[in-house]
Amino acid sequence: MHLPFSRRDRQAGFTLIELLVVLVILGLIIGIAAPRAVNFLSRAKADVAKIQIESFATALDLYQLDVGRYPATREGLGALIAPPSGAERWNGPYLRADAVPLDPWDRAYRYEAPGDKGKPYRLLSLGADGQPGGEGEDADIAN
């Protein structure tokens, strides 16, 4: 007499308890790893913003050497790509892009000339929240 499910057939698969234990273990691993991954990604965006600001600073210095002044606030960073009116010695483009790159949070960088504390310009990203000030990943990133 042959039973539809022999003892050997029952031992070949996983029980519901075994599957639930594996799912709980995977959930715990994801619960521990996900916050660390998110923290790493938010720091990476801030690092990208710092690097882009340094790149803009180099391009602005080259612009100043050619034109004799930094772009005015109204000309903005666009002066690094297309010559503004009155910049006869403009020798750009000073950036390798068709448009001024956005910050890692898809917002425009803020450029003001003159800057504060006697600096020729101020260049910053407002961080993840897009608001002035903030802490952590919401903190402003400036030159």
Side-chain angles (χ1 to χ4, degrees):
M1 173 189 250
H2 181 57
L3 297 174
F5 296 103
S6 68
R7 174 183 256 191
R8 190 168 143 223
D9 290 337
R10 279 187 271 135
Q11 290 177 350
F14 295 105
T15 65
L16 181 59
I17 298 291
E18 291 170 328
L19 289 174
L20 290 175
V21 168
V22 169
L23 289 175
V24 167
I25 291 171
L26 287 173
L28 289 172
I29 291 171
I30 290 171
I32 292 170
R36 290 180 184 249
V38 168
N39 187 28
F40 177 75
L41 290 175
S42 66
R43 281 186 299 170
K45 284 187 174 187
D47 290 343
V48 166
K50 288 176 189 174
I51 291 168
Q52 281 184 322
I53 287 173
E54 289 174 15
S55 174
F56 289 141
T58 301
L60 286 164
D61 290 341
L62 290 172
Y63 178 97
Q64 192 273 337
L65 286 172
D66 287 344
V67 177
R69 63 174 176 81
Y70 287 98
T73 300
R74 63 178 166 69
E75 295 169 335
L77 295 174
L80 300 174
I81 295 175
S85 62
E88 285 80 28
R89 296 189 326 234
W90 189 87
N91 195 25
Y94 299 94
L95 295 175
R96 293 182 184 175
D98 295 334
V100 176
L102 299 175
D103 73 4
W105 297 277
D106 292 328
R107 287 187 293 276
Y109 284 94
R110 289 199 175 181
Y111 173 79
E112 301 166 1
D116 52 357
K117 300 177 185 172
K119 294 184 180 179
Y121 62 87
R122 183 171 185 231
L123 181 60
L124 74 143
S125 167
L126 295 177
D129 65 352
Q131 302 297 319
E135 296 178 10
E137 68 181 60
D138 295 336
D140 297 348
I141 302 160
N143 63 322

